[in-house]
Amino acid sequence: MPTLRSSSSPSSVSSPLRRASGGRQRVLSASSSSSVNMPCGDRDSDQTAEGDSDSLSADEGSDFEDSLRHSVKKRAAKRPLRTTPVAKHPKKGSRMVRGHGQKDSEPPTSDLFDAVKAAKSDMQSLVDEWLDTYKQDQDAGFLELVNFFIRSCGCKGNVTSEMFKKMSNSEIIRHLTEQFNEDSGEYPLTAPGPSWKKFQGSFCEFVKTLVYQCQYSLLYDGFPMDNLISLLTGLSDSQVRAFRHTSTLAAMKLMTSLVRVALQLSLHKDNNQRQYEAERNKGPGQRAPERLESLLEKRKELQEHQEEIEGMMNALFRGVFVHRYRDILPEIRAICIEEIGSWMQSYSTSFLTDSYLKYIGWTLHDKHREVRLKCLKALKGLYGSRDLTARLELFTSRFKDRMVSMVMDREYDVAVEAVKLLTLILKNMEGVLTDADCEGIYPVVYASNRALASAAGEFLYWKLFYPEYETKMVSGRERRRSPRAQRTFFHLLLSFFVESELHNHAAYLVDSLWDCAGSQLKDWESLTSLLLEKDQNLDDVQESTLIEILVSSVRQASEGHPPVGRITGRKFSADAEKVAPLLQLLNYFDLNIYCTRRLEKHLELFLQQLQEVVVKHAEPTVLEAGAHALYLLCNPEFTFFGRVDFARSQLVDLLSDRFQQELEELLQSSFLDEDEVYSLAATLKRLSAFYNAHDLTRWELYEPCFRLLRKAVDTGEVPHQVMLPALTLVYFSILWTLTHLSGSGASQKQLLSLKDRMVAFCELCQSCLSDVASEIQEQAFVLLSDLLLIFSPQMIVGGRDFLRPLVFFPEATLQSELASFLMDHVFIQPGELGSGHSQEDHLQIEQLHQRRRLLAGFCKLLLYGVLEMDAASDVFKHYNKFYSDYGDIIKETLTRARQIDRSHCSRILLLSLKQLYTELLQEQGPQGLNELPAFSEMRDLARRFALSFGPQQLQNRDLVVTLHKEGIKFSLSESPPTGSSGQPPNLAFLELLAEFSPRLFHQDKQLLLSYLEKCLQRVSQAPDCPWGPVTTYCHSLSPVENTVEANPQGYPRSKKRRTEGPSRQQREDISSSQEESLQLNSIPPTPTLTSTAIKRRQPLGGLEEMEEGSPEPELVQSSQPLSGNQRSRLSSPQHFRTLLNRSGPGLGNRLTRLSLMEEDEEEIQSELSEEWQDTDKHSSSSEHGLDLLDSTEMNLEDL
């Protein structure tokens, strides 16, 4: 290859967009000793000046000889002298159309970058469209290409026409650097996610196609390619990592494509030369002068094109490679070594020289594993061809020791590649490896790493055993080893094992040779015949060794497992029950030891094995343990965070790509077999487990999962095992998006987009509530409960008012479906538990925990105001029946509901009893209703509700009175059928109401008796005999000391009583006693609501003693009993009628607040007003009611 010309430095040339780079000369020198023995630190530094000594011409001698190098002047970039013809009709679907009114200062669009990123269109068509754009407007087309590379670096800036005209190359790069934000550390080549994973491949394919499509036109134009190379050279020298990485990759791929073009030109040139010689050697009569002239013109054109290509390759090699092959970033160094290896293989006549081989030789000492791997793989491609090995003799002699020493590399994969490289040298270069070199490789056959041991076994086989290999043909078809050669093989194997004295167990040697010499080792017939022959002079050690080889080979063939010690770290990886707790050990480790003790190798091994465990298992316990273990390592404070984050990205990329592929198959196919369904479900489970602990938003899993769920709901064709993890994935996607927006600075558009996603998912979950599979219904219910709670009004508390657009209130239909689901899946009678040790008992316990979880989610929605509090009646009415299963949850809910609104809570308790009574009435009818066992259970529930009010009788006075009044109205709300002498159908409800009577004050009992009397008078038909429920209820309201007289209709008849009240001293004593009791029986803090453990019942003041004692405990009464006259006076309905309308601030106002008489009882209120006016005359003008009632005016919120 002609001399490669030096490239100008980016800082010393003008803008690549306006003129060609200048050619400054460079005097290059190299010393073999200084280049080979260069320290690794100098080679890894980006700031060393070694490039001057490294940049050697390819045809000016070997780099291993001391000589001065002379550079040639770089060619000038040529602008076309004539205008390129403009296409009359642009291609249909062109990405960019420049209108006549478009301003030149506007930067071109980024359609080219978006198209390459999407990778949905053919690269050839994409490049053809750009060529059409370039032909229409060269400046605009070139700017689009430049901005494509700028966007590919992750920079948001653009090169405009003004910059194109006025700014130099260094100024443009400086301006772009200022606009570049490198804080995130991510750019297209390193960004995770499915949309970026394929970008590097598409990017390289675009560069390759660009050169291929331009090789007959623009490639030799001068302007676009020369200036593009100059731009990439300048960017590759930038301090910004993204610029340097991306431009180096583009430059090296551009160089690789140019090498292919140069190779084609060389072939065309040789073919042209042969044609010219053949034509010139013809006789004078047969020779065609026109043909000779045409061939000469063609050869001249090919020569010019070759010079053009060589000039561009020279610029790229000198300006990019010689600086970046020792870049501080290992990814950049690896790119350079990988590409130079491909140049040597494809265009060996020009690049397979010592001047280029030296770069690979130097980089064999690189400190990074990936770079050393690229070097060895590049050399394997060269040594694998016998035609190329003749040119590698000098290189081999200089770097052979380094290649042999790499067999002991600390990275196993590097050591494996080194052994394989030496095996190729052994095969294709006879006599190069000495016995001393081979003796350093032999012990590796006993290495603990099986891949390394197998590679060493292959080397041993080709070195010692293959030369004695003999075969013969049997029946012209089957090839078999001759018995003599087979005996020779076992003798050599025996001699190597015994004489080397490297190991005591032949099983490891057999395992190392199994991949390359398995057929010989399985020739047990020859081995046994060798042991049985009498004339074999074998000592005891040799016979024992042969027997061990025989046994080891048989075991290896039957079991297929390597010997003990070559499966380190993977023994328990296949056992889910063992690997899950092992992963939990990471919780107790000091993870800083990975960096303080230089244990990076062990960290890499753990990450590799963790990935294998995740890909192998689909059990939730293993996946959760693996995700949590990786979460512990992904701490940004650790110095190895970048390495762990890269491993996490690799794992998620693998799972995401697999999911996308399997999803497309599911969406396009109408039938999937069991294996395909299992694979898709397992992939979704793995992603779901990691989404719970890691932010996978960058992989954009919401849309594909939502499409999958939408198809499942619409068609029902998606298996249930696929739907479950898909629901969880969408749920986590919404929560992680909310986490990003909860910080600050979220736009209205982002909030509304998240709101739309959340609403759509809630609608989808609502549809899943009616699914045929119970596990789908329960999962949808749990996710709905959590989302409704998260997006409830409480999310704006704490200064987060900017999240108000996200607040969501469920519709009535959704609330109704949630309540119906609760009835169908939670409040069901389970089977009887046995001893608790059987499989069925464990299953029932797990189901009970799941039902408790569902109930707890519903109760949270009630307490946080997401659902109407009246829906709590569906829960409270099962308090007594399911007390053993959900008693702690319902009790806690009842307590917290009373703390929120005491009045509303008491109405809900009454509503629960009404619902149960109505359901029983509809099932059994009104006859004998109070004698049924179900009615007895309702009576027990009412007694438990009454006990829940606690000992604070004064605090709950108005609530209990209101409850009685509403209960009386309900019991008489329906009249008996016309013409029937029976009692009203709801009258038996009074027996349930009687359970709340012990919670009433004596005065309130008399008032309720009067209210019941008036209500009964409105019943159209009265029985001839007293009604039993009325009698029972009146008895509960009658004081023990003075039983109320009842009339024949069954309701009490009031008598005229004196209206004198107790003295003020007595009333003050009563009031002080009640207040003291209220202070002594304060409510302790309530425990936190939980759905996973049954908490012990905590005493609530005196409530615990009452629940465990008599069913109707004695209430707190006044400290001073009332006399008979006072008691009878307080029992008088006329007395209550008198007190009802008093105008004072005390008793009169308080009883008005109790609202014992509603608007629909105007007639009764009118009668009471008349009697009150008569009674008021006997009252003292200075007395404003009982202090006991006045005390109920206390602010209940303070309690």
Side-chain angles (χ1 to χ4, degrees):
M1 176 180 175
T3 304
L4 293 179
R5 305 164 216 175
S6 63
S7 156
S8 57
S9 173
S11 61
S12 61
V13 298
S14 59
S15 171
L17 309 178
R18 296 189 293 113
R19 54 189 175 273
S21 57
R24 60 170 183 163
Q25 296 183 347
R26 202 180 282 178
V27 178
L28 307 176
S29 62
S31 171
S32 60
S33 60
S34 63
S35 61
V36 175
N37 299 322
M38 179 183 62
C40 297
D42 296 337
R43 190 169 56 254
D44 291 339
S45 175
D46 188 37
Q47 306 298 329
T48 58
E50 193 183 329
D52 294 338
S53 62
D54 296 340
S55 305
L56 302 178
S57 301
D59 62 342
E60 294 183 355
S62 170
D63 112 282
F64 307 109
E65 301 174 0
D66 296 333
S67 61
L68 291 178
R69 311 302 183 190
H70 302 280
S71 61
V72 297
K73 190 174 182 180
K74 184 183 181 299
R75 66 189 177 93
K78 298 185 295 184
R79 289 293 298 265
L81 300 178
R82 53 188 177 87
T83 305
T84 305
V86 179
K88 295 182 179 179
H89 302 286
K91 285 189 177 182
K92 184 177 180 180
S94 177
R95 292 167 291 100
M96 184 173 115
V97 179
R98 286 180 70 92
H100 296 288
Q102 183 176 355
K103 296 181 180 180
D104 293 338
S105 61
E106 295 180 357
T109 60
S110 59
D111 293 345
L112 193 60
F113 172 79
D114 295 333
V116 173
K117 175 185 174 183
K120 294 182 179 179
S121 59
D122 181 42
M123 285 298 170
Q124 184 173 348
S125 302
L126 191 64
V127 173
D128 288 342
E129 290 182 8
W130 176 81
L131 288 174
D132 291 342
T133 302
Y134 180 82
K135 292 175 181 178
Q136 295 179 27
D137 190 331
Q138 294 185 3
D139 291 343
F142 184 71
L143 278 179
E144 184 181 13
L145 184 64
V146 169
N147 286 317
F148 161 73
F149 286 103
I150 298 301
R151 286 288 306 278
S152 299
C153 296
C155 180
K156 303 301 182 182
N158 284 318
V159 179
T160 63
S161 298
E162 292 297 324
M163 298 168 61
F164 174 72
K165 296 176 181 178
K166 299 180 180 180
M167 298 177 66
S168 65
N169 182 35
S170 59
E171 292 174 343
I172 290 176
I173 296 177
R174 188 182 305 113
H175 176 75
L176 295 174
T177 303
E178 294 174 355
Q179 295 184 353
F180 194 88
N181 181 16
E182 205 180 12
D183 295 338
S184 63
E186 295 180 355
Y187 47 95
L189 290 184
T190 61
S195 60
W196 295 113
K197 178 176 175 54
K198 299 180 180 179
F199 176 78
Q200 180 169 345
S202 301
F203 178 78
C204 298
E205 183 66 21
F206 174 80
V207 175
K208 174 184 175 182
T209 308
L210 178 66
V211 175
Y212 179 80
Q213 293 297 102
C214 297
Q215 63 178 328
Y216 301 111
S217 57
L218 296 183
L219 192 59
Y220 312 106
D221 190 8
F223 166 67
M225 284 299 168
D226 284 356
N227 290 283
L228 177 62
I229 291 172
S230 182
L231 174 67
L232 294 177
T233 302
L235 290 173
S236 68
D237 197 42
S238 172
Q239 296 297 322
V240 179
R241 170 180 174 176
F243 281 151
R244 204 168 66 253
H245 187 185
T246 308
S247 60
T248 301
L249 176 63
M252 293 298 97
K253 291 298 180 181
L254 184 62
M255 176 80 168
T256 301
S257 301
L258 292 175
V259 168
R260 294 192 180 96
V261 174
L263 179 61
Q264 293 294 327
L265 288 175
S266 179
L267 295 177
H268 290 321
K269 189 176 178 181
D270 294 341
N271 187 33
N272 176 270
Q273 183 66 25
R274 287 193 300 270
Q275 292 177 356
Y276 178 80
E277 294 294 337
E279 188 68 26
R280 192 179 62 175
N281 291 334
K282 291 181 180 180
Q286 297 178 350
R287 186 184 304 165
E290 298 82 3
R291 171 71 171 168
L292 289 174
E293 185 179 356
S294 175
L295 291 173
L296 286 175
E297 290 293 332
K298 183 65 175 177
R299 183 170 63 178
K300 182 179 179 181
E301 180 183 0
L302 292 174
Q303 182 66 29
E304 292 178 353
H305 288 175
Q306 189 175 27
E307 292 177 358
E308 293 282 339
I309 297 299
E310 290 171 354
M312 287 184 278
M313 291 192 299
N314 175 81
L316 288 170
F317 187 83
R318 300 289 182 177
V320 179
F321 179 87
V322 296
H323 298 285
R324 301 278 71 78
Y325 89 95
R326 65 184 191 278
D327 192 277
I328 194 173
L329 194 64
E331 289 87 347
I332 296 179
R333 303 198 301 271
I335 290 172
C336 295
I337 297 303
E338 182 180 17
E339 296 305 318
I340 195 174
S342 67
W343 307 338
M344 293 176 181
Q345 293 183 51
S346 60
Y347 200 6
S348 59
T349 56
S350 297
F351 286 95
L352 192 56
T353 63
D354 298 332
S355 298
Y356 297 103
L357 285 169
K358 65 178 181 181
Y359 297 109
I360 297 181
W362 291 340
T363 319
L364 286 173
H365 297 269
D366 196 278
K367 294 183 296 185
H368 198 270
R369 159 188 166 274
E370 187 66 24
V371 182
R372 299 197 301 274
L373 269 179
K374 294 296 183 181
C375 292
L376 293 173
K377 290 180 179 180
L379 292 176
K380 281 175 58 180
L382 301 177
Y383 283 100
S385 174
R386 283 185 174 270
D387 298 333
L388 302 179
T389 52
R391 306 180 187 179
L392 297 170
E393 294 180 357
L394 185 57
F395 173 83
T396 306
S397 64
R398 290 302 303 266
F399 293 100
K400 182 187 67 173
D401 294 341
R402 172 55 184 163
M403 289 185 284
V404 172
S405 66
M406 294 181 74
V407 172
M408 298 299 176
D409 196 281
R410 62 180 182 179
E411 303 291 345
Y412 284 128
D413 48 357
V414 177
V416 170
E417 294 298 326
V419 175
K420 291 181 179 180
L421 174 61
L422 293 175
T423 304
L424 292 176
I425 296 176
L426 178 67
K427 292 180 181 180
N428 299 324
M429 299 184 71
E430 298 179 0
V432 172
L433 294 178
T434 64
D435 293 340
D437 297 332
C438 297
E439 289 175 358
I441 305 174
Y442 293 156
V444 184
V445 295
Y446 300 107
S448 60
N449 185 277
R450 191 178 188 278
L452 179 58
S454 298
E458 184 179 3
F459 179 88
L460 177 66
Y461 175 79
W462 285 97
K463 176 63 178 177
L464 297 182
F465 306 137
Y466 182 77
E468 302 295 333
Y469 183 81
E470 296 179 8
T471 60
K472 68 176 183 178
M473 302 298 297
V474 179
S475 302
R477 292 174 298 180
E478 185 178 3
R479 297 178 61 90
R480 291 183 180 176
R481 175 177 293 275
S482 65
R484 178 182 176 184
Q486 191 66 28
R487 286 195 298 269
T488 303
F489 171 80
F490 284 114
H491 276 294
L492 292 173
L493 182 62
L494 181 62
S495 299
F496 172 78
F497 180 78
V498 175
E499 295 176 3
S500 62
E501 298 181 354
L502 296 173
H503 207 276
N504 296 326
H505 300 286
Y508 295 90
L509 179 59
V510 171
D511 181 62
S512 301
L513 294 170
W514 193 258
D515 294 339
C516 59
S519 59
Q520 292 91 322
L521 291 171
K522 287 187 290 186
D523 190 359
W524 301 308
E525 181 180 357
S526 300
L527 184 55
T528 53
S529 63
L530 183 62
L531 287 171
L532 296 175
E533 287 182 1
K534 297 181 180 180
D535 56 348
Q536 294 295 332
N537 297 323
L538 299 176
D539 56 20
D540 292 341
V541 176
Q542 292 175 335
E543 288 180 352
S544 301
T545 303
L546 281 178
I547 293 174
E548 186 177 0
I549 292 174
L550 173 62
V551 174
S552 300
S553 61
V554 173
R555 183 188 298 114
Q556 187 87 359
S558 60
E559 296 180 356
H561 297 300
V564 177
R566 286 192 175 168
I567 53 174
T568 56
R570 301 179 184 178
K571 185 175 181 180
F572 305 103
S573 61
D575 193 340
E577 296 181 357
K578 296 178 181 178
V579 72
L582 286 175
L583 288 173
Q584 296 175 3
L585 288 175
L586 214 65
N587 295 319
Y588 313 102
F589 288 171
D590 181 13
L591 300 180
N592 283 314
I593 198 173
Y594 278 124
C595 50
T596 58
R597 297 289 183 87
R598 300 181 62 85
L599 300 177
E600 292 83 3
K601 179 177 66 175
H602 298 279
L603 176 62
E604 291 285 350
L605 182 60
F606 174 78
L607 294 175
Q608 179 183 356
Q609 294 179 359
L610 178 61
Q611 179 174 348
E612 295 176 2
V613 168
V614 172
V615 174
K616 182 182 301 182
H617 292 277
E619 292 81 4
T621 54
V622 178
L623 297 178
E624 291 174 3
H628 183 67
L630 193 59
Y631 170 78
L632 295 175
L633 292 172
C634 290
N635 188 346
E637 296 180 0
F638 293 150
T639 58
F640 54 83
F641 169 73
R643 188 174 305 176
V644 179
D645 185 59
F646 179 75
R648 175 176 59 181
S649 300
Q650 281 186 322
L651 176 58
V652 180
D653 285 341
L654 174 65
L655 298 177
S656 179
D657 291 346
R658 184 180 299 178
F659 165 63
Q660 295 286 354
Q661 180 181 358
E662 294 170 344
L663 177 62
E664 292 300 326
E665 296 176 359
L666 175 64
L667 296 178
Q668 297 175 4
S669 175
S670 59
F671 175 78
L672 290 179
D673 57 20
E674 295 181 358
D675 293 338
E676 293 174 333
V677 172
Y678 175 81
S679 178
L680 178 57
T683 303
L684 285 171
K685 289 178 182 178
R686 297 180 184 111
L687 287 172
S688 177
F690 274 78
Y691 218 165
N692 187 19
H694 305 268
D695 184 8
L696 307 185
T697 307
R698 297 171 294 180
W699 281 268
E700 302 173 357
L701 298 174
Y702 175 88
E703 290 296 338
C705 289
F706 191 85
R707 283 193 298 137
L708 177 64
L709 293 174
R710 176 53 60 189
K711 179 179 181 180
V713 172
D714 295 341
T715 64
E717 298 176 355
V718 179
H720 297 153
Q721 57 265 41
V722 175
M723 288 185 61
L724 285 173
L727 284 169
T728 310
L729 270 173
V730 177
Y731 168 75
F732 287 136
S733 175
I734 293 175
L735 294 191
W736 278 109
T737 306
L738 176 61
T739 302
H740 292 307
L741 300 182
S742 297
S744 61
S747 64
Q748 191 77 3
K749 182 180 179 181
Q750 291 175 322
L751 295 177
L752 295 179
S753 176
L754 176 60
K755 178 72 171 293
D756 294 339
R757 285 190 173 188
M758 191 274 298
V759 173
F761 181 65
C762 288
E763 294 174 354
L764 192 144
C765 289
Q766 184 177 356
S767 302
C768 292
L769 291 177
S770 57
D771 195 276
V772 293
S774 61
E775 60 267 23
I776 298 295
Q777 296 178 352
E778 293 176 358
Q779 181 75 348
F781 182 87
V782 171
L783 299 181
L784 259 179
S785 302
D786 289 346
L787 280 181
L788 293 177
L789 185 62
I790 293 171
F791 288 86
S792 64
Q794 58 87 26
M795 74 182 309
I796 64 175
V797 177
R800 296 183 297 178
D801 192 72
F802 64 95
L803 296 178
R804 186 175 296 275
L806 295 178
V807 176
F808 176 74
F809 296 94
E811 298 179 354
T813 55
L814 177 56
Q815 298 188 34
S816 176
E817 288 194 35
L818 291 175
S820 300
F821 175 87
L822 199 71
M823 298 301 103
D824 298 336
H825 292 78
V826 175
F827 296 110
I828 56 177
Q829 287 292 350
E832 293 294 331
L833 284 176
S835 61
H837 301 290
S838 65
Q839 187 67 24
E840 295 181 359
D841 292 341
H842 285 291
L843 180 60
Q844 289 189 20
I845 293 175
E846 291 295 331
Q847 293 175 351
L848 175 61
H849 279 292
Q850 177 65 10
R851 292 194 299 269
R852 287 172 57 85
R853 181 187 179 194
L854 299 176
L855 177 60
F858 186 84
C859 293
K860 290 177 184 177
L861 296 179
L862 294 171
L863 297 177
Y864 281 90
V866 179
L867 303 180
E868 295 294 336
M869 187 60 76
D870 288 339
S873 61
D874 294 327
V875 178
F876 293 162
K877 67 183 181 182
H878 297 96
Y879 186 18
N880 192 65
K881 186 176 182 180
F882 292 88
Y883 186 83
S884 60
D885 293 337
Y886 318 121
D888 56 331
I889 299 177
I890 300 178
K891 181 178 179 180
E892 185 69 17
T893 306
L894 178 59
T895 303
R896 290 179 178 264
R898 181 174 286 110
Q899 292 174 356
I900 296 173
D901 191 341
R902 303 177 63 84
S903 177
H904 195 187
C905 181
S906 63
R907 291 197 299 269
I908 295 174
L909 296 180
L910 182 63
L911 178 61
S912 302
L913 295 174
K914 289 180 181 179
Q915 291 177 352
L916 286 176
Y917 183 90
T918 304
E919 292 172 3
L920 184 62
L921 182 64
Q922 293 176 353
E923 293 176 2
Q924 304 295 336
Q927 299 298 328
L929 192 67
N930 54 357
E931 299 177 359
L932 297 174
F935 191 87
S936 299
E937 293 179 0
M938 282 192 290
R939 185 181 289 110
D940 294 338
L941 177 63
R943 184 179 300 112
R944 190 175 292 276
F945 282 168
L947 293 175
S948 68
F949 282 92
Q952 290 79 17
Q953 189 176 9
L954 182 64
Q955 186 177 0
N956 298 319
R957 179 177 184 180
D958 54 342
L959 305 180
V960 178
V961 172
T962 303
L963 185 146
H964 275 270
K965 186 213 62 167
E966 295 294 334
I968 293 173
K969 291 170 57 178
F970 173 76
S971 62
L972 301 174
S973 60
E974 295 184 16
S975 302
T978 306
S980 174
S981 59
Q983 65 184 23
N986 295 339
L987 193 64
F989 189 80
L990 290 175
E991 296 190 18
L992 303 179
L993 205 61
E995 299 297 331
F996 295 87
S997 297
R999 299 294 162 181
L1000 291 168
F1001 281 89
H1002 178 72
Q1003 301 91 326
D1004 299 335
K1005 292 181 180 180
Q1006 297 302 318
L1007 179 62
L1008 290 173
L1009 283 173
S1010 177
Y1011 178 73
L1012 177 63
E1013 176 184 0
K1014 297 299 181 180
C1015 291
L1016 287 173
Q1017 291 177 358
R1018 303 179 61 184
V1019 178
S1020 58
Q1021 296 182 3
D1024 297 333
C1025 58
W1027 287 333
V1030 175
T1031 303
T1032 302
Y1033 182 67
C1034 291
H1035 178 74
S1036 68
L1037 295 178
S1038 300
V1040 179
E1041 296 84 359
N1042 186 18
T1043 303
V1044 180
E1045 298 179 5
N1047 63 4
Q1049 283 73 24
Y1051 54 85
R1053 177 175 300 175
S1054 60
K1055 297 181 180 180
K1056 294 292 182 178
R1057 301 284 184 182
R1058 289 184 300 173
T1059 58
E1060 295 178 4
S1063 64
R1064 178 171 298 276
Q1065 181 64 33
Q1066 291 175 332
R1067 287 186 274 107
E1068 290 177 356
D1069 294 339
I1070 294 173
S1071 177
S1072 61
S1073 175
Q1074 294 293 342
E1075 292 176 354
E1076 181 180 359
S1077 174
L1078 186 64
Q1079 293 175 359
L1080 294 177
N1081 294 278
S1082 59
I1083 302 177
T1086 55
T1088 306
L1089 182 61
T1090 178
S1091 63
T1092 58
I1094 300 177
K1095 293 190 287 296
R1096 298 178 180 176
R1097 300 174 58 186
Q1098 301 294 335
L1100 185 61
L1103 179 59
E1104 188 69 17
E1105 298 178 359
M1106 290 186 291
E1107 289 185 354
E1108 298 179 358
S1110 61
E1112 296 182 6
E1114 295 183 4
L1115 301 179
V1116 180
Q1117 301 294 337
S1118 60
S1119 59
Q1120 182 175 354
L1122 301 177
S1123 62
N1125 293 337
Q1126 292 171 339
R1127 187 182 305 111
S1128 62
R1129 185 166 66 245
L1130 290 174
S1131 304
S1132 172
Q1134 286 83 356
H1135 178 77
F1136 282 107
R1137 296 190 191 108
T1138 302
L1139 296 179
L1140 181 63
N1141 292 320
R1142 292 188 63 86
S1143 58
L1147 178 62
N1149 288 353
R1150 183 57 189 161
L1151 290 181
T1152 301
R1153 181 166 162 250
L1154 291 177
S1155 301
L1156 292 179
M1157 308 306 170
E1158 294 290 324
E1159 295 178 356
D1160 58 348
E1161 304 168 16
E1162 294 178 357
E1163 182 178 355
I1164 299 178
Q1165 289 180 355
S1166 177
E1167 296 175 2
L1168 293 177
S1169 296
E1170 294 177 359
E1171 296 187 15
W1172 164 72
Q1173 292 175 1
D1174 297 334
T1175 309
D1176 190 31
K1177 299 177 182 178
H1178 303 282
S1179 301
S1180 174
S1181 59
S1182 61
E1183 189 173 357
H1184 298 289
L1186 296 175
D1187 293 342
L1188 174 62
L1189 298 182
D1190 291 344
S1191 65
T1192 61
E1193 293 289 339
M1194 296 174 61
N1195 188 0
L1196 299 182
E1197 295 179 358
D1198 295 339
L1199 302 178

